[in-house]
């Protein structure tokens, strides 16, 4: 692009970072991020969240956290996407307690967690065979007025199944049906 005299903007660089992130090439994503800044283009919330998510997807929570800290140092207030990506980084890395700390920090900053945020935290506890903690997040989600979706129920059911608690899994399954949600192929596997 630059050879043709076209200078990419923040969105263009964010798209490249996303492409490298999806390809699990975080080194190249970071190179693009650094090139962007060298070109004098200020990263946006989207740019930072995209890079944080790339590190989350590749099980590099410390690097995700470094980018999150850099975001704040540059005076950019993290949004729900950036926080959720950092929560995902810790949850996927088997660090649900750190994910919970970020979740609490998010709320302290006045940023309302959304369905994806709650699902990410539930999934983290499910992965670590902590179904009761996953259920606590599920309960909190509902108390905050966020309606669980099929994915939420599936993760919670799976958490109880993996923990060999079929009675609790059945309770969640029945609750899912009472809420008018239909079990799908994921529910039954």
């Amino acid at each position: 692009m630059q050879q043709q005299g076209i200078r990419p903007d923040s969105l263009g660089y964010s798209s490249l970072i996303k492409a490298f992130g999806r390809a699990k090439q975080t080194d190249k994503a970071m190179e693009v991020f650094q090139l962007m800044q060298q070109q004098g283009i200020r990263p946006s919330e989207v740019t930072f969240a995209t890079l944080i998510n790339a590190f989350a997807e590749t099980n590099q929570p410390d690097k995700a956290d470094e980018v999150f800290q850099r975001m704040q140092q540059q005076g950019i207030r993290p949004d729900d996407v950036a926080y959720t990506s950092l929560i995902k980084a810790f949850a996927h890395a088997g660090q649900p307690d750190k994910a919970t700390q970020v979740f609490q920090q998010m709320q302290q900053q006045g940023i309302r967690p959304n369905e994806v945020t709650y699902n990410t935290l539930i999934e983290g506890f499910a992965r670590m065979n902590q179904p009761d903690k996953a259920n606590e997040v599920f309960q909190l989600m509902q108390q905050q007025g966020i309606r669980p979706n099929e994915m939420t129920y599936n993760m919670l059911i799976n958490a109880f199944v993996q923990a060999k608690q079929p009675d609790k899994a059945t309770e969640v399954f029945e609750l899912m049906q009472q809420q008018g949600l239909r079990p799908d192929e994921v529910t039954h596997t």
Side-chain angles (χ1 to χ4, degrees):
M1 273 191 330
Q2 287 182 324
Q3 293 171 347
Q4 297 170 341
I6 300 170
R7 184 178 154 128
D9 60 5
S10 179
L11 185 59
Y13 279 109
S14 295
S15 295
L16 286 172
I17 291 168
K18 184 175 187 174
F20 283 120
R22 283 192 173 167
K24 311 284 189 222
Q25 296 179 18
T26 54
D27 289 344
K28 290 197 181 215
M30 195 65 185
E31 284 176 26
V32 170
F33 180 77
Q34 290 168 341
L35 176 64
M36 173 184 188
Q37 293 185 306
Q38 289 168 1
Q39 297 281 328
I41 297 172
R42 188 169 191 244
S44 67
E45 288 174 350
V46 172
T47 309
F48 278 105
T50 302
L51 189 56
I52 293 165
N53 192 61
F55 287 122
E57 291 289 337
T58 55
N59 201 24
Q60 298 180 69
D62 292 337
K63 287 191 176 186
D65 193 33
E66 284 175 27
V67 172
F68 186 84
Q69 298 307 320
R70 183 185 291 185
M71 177 182 195
Q72 293 177 307
Q73 289 166 0
Q74 291 190 15
I76 297 175
R77 186 172 187 256
D79 61 4
D80 60 330
V81 177
Y83 272 106
T84 300
S85 295
L86 187 58
I87 289 167
K88 178 181 173 180
F90 288 120
H92 284 195
Q95 299 176 37
D97 292 337
K98 280 195 173 185
T100 300
Q101 288 174 354
V102 174
F103 178 78
Q104 291 168 345
Q105 178 187 354
M106 176 183 190
Q107 293 177 302
Q108 290 167 354
Q109 294 299 314
I111 298 173
R112 188 168 192 249
N114 59 30
E115 180 181 284
V116 176
T117 310
Y118 283 103
N119 284 350
T120 302
L121 203 51
I122 289 168
E123 180 185 23
F125 284 118
R127 283 179 176 219
M128 295 307 298
N129 199 24
Q130 296 180 18
D132 293 329
K133 292 246 187 183
N135 193 41
E136 286 176 24
V137 175
F138 176 77
Q139 298 299 325
L140 178 63
M141 177 183 195
Q142 294 177 89
Q143 290 168 6
Q144 296 299 314
I146 308 291
R147 187 169 188 252
N149 61 16
E150 289 89 351
M151 182 185 293
T152 313
Y153 283 100
N154 287 338
M155 286 186 291
L156 193 55
I157 290 167
N158 187 52
F160 284 122
V161 168
Q162 295 300 317
K164 298 181 179 24
Q165 296 180 28
D167 292 340
K168 287 188 177 182
T170 301
E171 285 176 30
V172 175
F173 180 79
E174 290 170 355
L175 180 60
M176 177 184 190
Q177 291 181 309
Q178 289 170 8
Q179 296 300 314
L181 298 173
R182 300 190 68 194
D184 59 15
E185 58 276 348
V186 176
T187 313
H188 295 291
T189 57

